[in-house]
Amino acid sequence: MGYIPLNADRRKISLGRKRIKYTHLAEKLDNDILGSDDLVLLHQIQIDLPRTVVYREFLEHAEIRLAVQRVLFTRALRNPTSSYVQGMNELMVPFLIAFLAEFQAVPPLELDVSEITTSQFHVAEADSYWCFCKFLGVMQNHYTFGQPGIQESCFKVKELLKRADSELYEHLTNEGVDVLHFAFRWLNCLFLREFPAKCIPRLMDTYLAEGDDLPHFIEHFCLVILLKWSAQFKEMTFQSIVSFIQNPPTKRWTVSELEIALSETHRLRTTFL
């Protein structure tokens, strides 16, 4: 992501500066008198946190909830154009859990929060903030007013489906199923709500590797998911399709199944440029 300098000699100093800067930003917000709009924003974040699906069990810990809240609120106030949009909470949590798990050298799901020290929480929170900001920067227009980036990606998914499987596209159209009925949520949360927790690290690893090309990758990933169950969709009516999409089989996938879908996404991206 470019967060850590390539030059090993500069890493300690660079990370130290970043962590101190974040601490000052967060402390300044704690000490500032918040306006009514800021309080409404903070309240919305507090409402959304208990609804978070990604790594839900970790949010039962007050320290993690407060860290996620501070990161989301700090970023929102420093980036008024995109501010905070529901769904950002899902995207931020994996960063914090990954950084905390690094202290114990374990996979994210094996993190023991009770063994994390206060100083480790502060370091992980700061690192999460900067990486989260950089990650969202790739998709800035996904979260500005009206979310034009997501609207555009939904249109592209529709066009990709029309080219890849015109029969499925026509069936969905005839049943009154618009791409927006499902792709908006997929694109807003980058599928993190559609997969089990064990798949999240692999999914996020792919997203980070894609860099600036992430929006295009996600559009083709949407196509892969639709084509996966094309035959079943063609036999369904509107209500059955919507119910299927709201509780997709991907929620029970293994990491191996996810990797196959990711590989297929890379293949289709070269086919449908």
Side-chain angles (χ1 to χ4, degrees):
M1 293 186 71
Y3 177 55
I4 299 177
L6 295 177
N7 187 332
D9 295 334
R10 296 176 50 214
R11 288 176 187 171
K12 185 175 181 179
I13 295 175
S14 178
L15 288 174
R17 287 173 178 168
K18 286 284 190 179
R19 290 162 182 167
I20 291 173
K21 183 176 181 180
Y22 170 73
T23 299
H24 289 165
L25 291 174
E27 288 178 347
K28 184 177 185 301
L29 290 179
D30 287 339
N31 296 327
D32 282 352
I33 298 176
L34 300 177
S36 58
D37 290 344
D38 298 336
L39 291 173
V40 169
L41 175 62
L42 179 59
H43 181 60
Q44 184 61 58
I45 293 172
Q46 292 170 335
I47 290 175
D48 288 344
L49 285 181
R51 302 171 180 168
T52 304
V53 173
V54 178
Y55 293 145
R56 181 195 299 271
E57 64 274 22
F58 290 115
L59 287 169
E60 295 175 1
H61 298 271
E63 304 95 330
I64 289 183
R65 283 199 309 276
L66 288 173
V68 174
Q69 177 180 303
R70 277 192 297 267
V71 169
L72 292 173
F73 189 55
T74 302
R75 187 208 166 271
L77 294 188
R78 286 180 53 82
N79 295 269
T81 302
S82 54
S83 187
Y84 169 76
V85 175
Q86 288 177 311
M88 286 184 180
N89 49 312
E90 308 284 359
L91 303 179
M92 190 272 149
V93 174
F95 287 101
L96 180 62
I97 301 305
F99 280 120
L100 289 173
E102 277 293 303
F103 288 114
Q104 298 174 356
V106 297
L109 286 178
E110 296 179 19
L111 169 66
D112 184 351
V113 179
S114 65
E115 295 296 320
I116 297 295
T117 66
T118 299
S119 63
Q120 288 172 337
F121 261 114
H122 290 163
V123 168
E125 181 180 333
D127 290 345
S128 299
Y129 171 80
W130 294 113
C131 290
F132 179 61
C133 289
K134 189 171 180 62
F135 184 66
L136 286 191
V138 175
M139 307 171 294
Q140 182 77 7
N141 65 348
H142 275 51
Y143 303 106
T144 53
F145 180 74
Q147 298 184 265
I150 292 182
Q151 301 284 350
E152 181 181 352
S153 286
C154 284
F155 174 77
K156 289 180 179 177
V157 171
K158 185 184 297 187
E159 292 301 305
L160 286 170
L161 181 60
K162 190 185 301 184
R163 293 172 58 194
D165 191 338
S166 60
E167 289 185 9
L168 176 57
Y169 174 81
E170 290 178 7
H171 177 70
L172 294 177
T173 301
N174 292 336
E175 288 297 324
V177 178
D178 192 286
V179 168
L180 280 172
H181 287 149
F182 49 87
F184 193 92
R185 168 170 145 167
W186 291 352
L187 293 161
N188 191 54
C189 298
L190 301 183
F191 281 95
L192 296 186
R193 295 173 62 101
E194 318 307 322
F195 287 90
K198 61 188 176 184
C199 290
I200 300 303
R202 181 66 181 87
L203 203 55
M204 289 298 295
D205 183 61
T206 298
Y207 293 164
L208 295 177
E210 286 298 320
D212 292 342
D213 204 36
L214 176 57
H216 298 130
F217 180 86
I218 291 293
E219 291 159 10
H220 286 81
F221 192 47
C222 288
L223 177 63
V224 167
I225 297 300
L226 288 169
L227 295 180
K228 173 73 176 177
W229 290 286
S230 175
Q232 291 93 318
F233 283 138
K234 291 173 185 175
E235 300 298 322
M236 295 179 183
T237 58
F238 174 85
Q239 192 56 54
S240 298
I241 294 171
V242 172
S243 297
F244 186 95
I245 289 171
Q246 288 176 342
N247 187 31
T250 53
K251 292 185 177 181
R252 297 175 289 280
W253 271 16
T254 63
V255 174
S256 296
E257 288 175 302
L258 171 60
E259 288 179 339
I260 292 172
L262 294 173
S263 296
E264 180 64 6
T265 302
H266 287 295
R267 188 187 71 80
L268 286 183
R269 192 166 51 170
T270 61
T271 304
F272 298 100
L273 297 175

